[in-house]
Amino acid sequence: DEFSFLPDPSRYVMSHYPDVDYMQLLPKPISLADFESHVKCWPDFFTYHLKLLSHHQGLLKTTNGEVTVYIGFRSEDHNKVKFAHNFKMADNGTKWRGLKLDRFVRQSRKKDAVKFVTFPPEKGNFLLDIFVGVEGE
């Protein structure tokens, strides 16, 4: 795993929080509260050169019943990088009134970004997991 060998500290702290602040290897260590509230970006996020374009905090509130999340990628990877998602309730339920919650997410792409629009069917806490891969992997 190339990500774990001599990682960039500013990237590593997006998925791993050490017990001791100085082990973050950052000029200004982040707090545990900041780490916990940030979107978790796992190694594949950096392997595929992705960027958070819209939200850096993991807890999002809807506006007019929707939340839109943008993730950027290199334009030359447009035909290679593939995205999938899993939308579920905070209690891990994946259905609402017999319907799969994934139907409440629209995914679209443009030259260098993917857009996820979620419109939860009711008030409550939901989790949107976004996955990335490359064609053929």
Side-chain angles (χ1 to χ4, degrees):
D1 177 10
E2 195 173 306
F3 178 78
S4 299
F5 181 71
L6 299 174
D8 175 342
S10 65
R11 292 179 174 182
Y12 200 70
V13 78
M14 293 177 90
S15 62
H16 298 80
Y17 190 83
D19 292 332
V20 185
D21 283 353
Y22 73 86
M23 291 302 293
Q24 291 179 23
L25 304 176
L26 296 170
K28 184 177 182 245
I30 65 167
S31 70
L32 179 59
D34 285 344
F35 171 78
E36 289 176 339
S37 68
H38 197 278
V39 172
K40 300 302 174 264
C41 298
W42 299 103
D44 283 346
F45 185 87
F46 303 105
T47 299
Y48 299 120
H49 309 280
L50 304 180
K51 292 182 247 165
L52 297 172
L53 299 179
S54 60
H55 298 88
H56 293 267
Q57 300 302 309
L59 182 62
L60 307 175
K61 296 199 181 280
T62 61
T63 303
N64 298 322
E66 291 186 355
V67 171
T68 302
V69 175
Y70 292 91
I71 298 175
F73 54 86
R74 298 183 309 187
S75 57
E76 62 264 28
D77 291 339
H78 179 80
N79 292 323
K80 292 190 293 188
V81 69
K82 305 296 180 196
F83 293 90
H85 65 273
N86 183 17
F87 192 48
K88 58 188 174 183
M89 295 181 173
D91 66 1
N92 285 328
T94 58
K95 292 193 175 186
W96 177 80
R97 297 184 183 172
L99 300 173
K100 289 184 75 174
L101 283 170
D102 281 338
R103 76 179 306 152
F104 296 97
V105 180
R106 287 189 313 261
Q107 177 183 339
S108 59
R109 341 171 34 118
K110 60 180 187 174
K111 184 174 106 176
D112 59 357
V114 62
K115 172 176 142 179
F116 293 90
V117 179
T118 63
F119 42 103
E122 64 183 30
K123 288 185 179 184
N125 295 317
F126 295 84
L127 178 66
L128 175 65
D129 285 323
I130 299 173
F131 306 95
V132 62
V134 170
E135 187 75 34
E137 284 188 5

